[in-house]
Amino acid sequence: MQTIARTNINRCFERRTLLPDESDFFWKIEAGIVRTITWTEEGEMIVLGIWGKGDIVGSSLSATRPYEIECLTRAIAQLVPYNQLVNMTEEMLQHIRHNEEFIKIVHNRNIQLSIVRLLNWLANRFGQVVAEGHLIDLLLTHQEISEIVGTSRVTTTRIMGSLIERGIIQRHQRRFIISLDRDPFWHYEI
């Protein structure tokens, strides 16, 4: 009875808060955006993924320890028992697909290319079309971007400045717009 009471309600979490670790459960994101993170033995953060509406996350889905889920925006999530994964084949396949796309972005040796691919991925996944391009409606700092692609904040700031200068991205109230009138990715495609 306690399991049903714990799992049939949506819970709200504010930006920068952590979703509680529930070992026999996972979280289904109903609204908002979260990231999953871990750390190396030296204390360096590793971003494991960025997740949104319809995605499932949780330490029960990962062998990585430590494992935390941090809200990048205000988020609404529902606690789901681990044994219900049997009924969630599509969500599991989607989780695997998003994870593979994310790995491809962060494992690029060219940091500028990683940042450009990350912004494009975020625009396609979480963005909305506006007159100037795709608005990434997510307050990402240069530090958070650097944590995602595995570089320094200084390098990220330099690359972001270059992308703004070239008109590939625009800043709009601490958010980014990927320009539609330019094809910023043509020179990165093989």
Side-chain angles (χ1 to χ4, degrees), residues 152-174:
S152 70
R153 186 204 47 79
V154 172
T155 299
T156 297
T157 298
R158 180 181 48 76
I159 291 170
M160 295 297 285
S162 171
L163 295 173
I164 290 169
E165 233 175 67
R166 293 169 29 212
I168 294 171
I169 62 172
Q170 301 168 39
R171 292 286 293 193
H172 178 69
Q173 299 174 352
R174 296 186 53 211

Side-chain angles (χ1 to χ4, degrees), residues 111-119 145 149 156 159-160 163:
I111 298 299
Q112 182 172 359
L113 180 55
S114 285
I115 290 174
V116 168
R117 284 188 174 165
L118 173 66
L119 294 173
I145 293 169
V149 299
T156 297
I159 291 170
M160 295 297 285
L163 295 173

Side-chain angles (χ1 to χ4, degrees), residues 47-52 55 90 92-108 113-126 148-149:
V47 178
L48 300 171
I50 301 175
W51 312 95
D55 290 329
E90 187 55 39
M92 283 300 299
L93 291 173
Q94 195 64 26
H95 183 88
I96 292 166
R97 287 184 201 113
H98 288 315
N99 197 38
E100 287 177 348
E101 289 172 6
F102 191 76
I103 289 169
K104 185 177 176 182
I105 290 166
V106 299
H107 280 282
N108 196 309
L113 180 55
S114 285
I115 290 174
V116 168
R117 284 188 174 165
L118 173 66
L119 294 173
N120 190 40
W121 183 76
L122 290 170
N124 288 329
R125 182 112 198 276
F126 304 113
I148 293 167
V149 299

Side-chain angles (χ1 to χ4, degrees), residues 11 13 17-23 25-27 58-59 69 79:
R11 294 182 50 194
F13 300 92
T17 60
L18 299 177
L19 275 67
D21 182 24
E22 301 278 352
S23 59
F25 296 84
F26 60 91
W27 292 98
S59 64
I69 307 162
L79 199 59

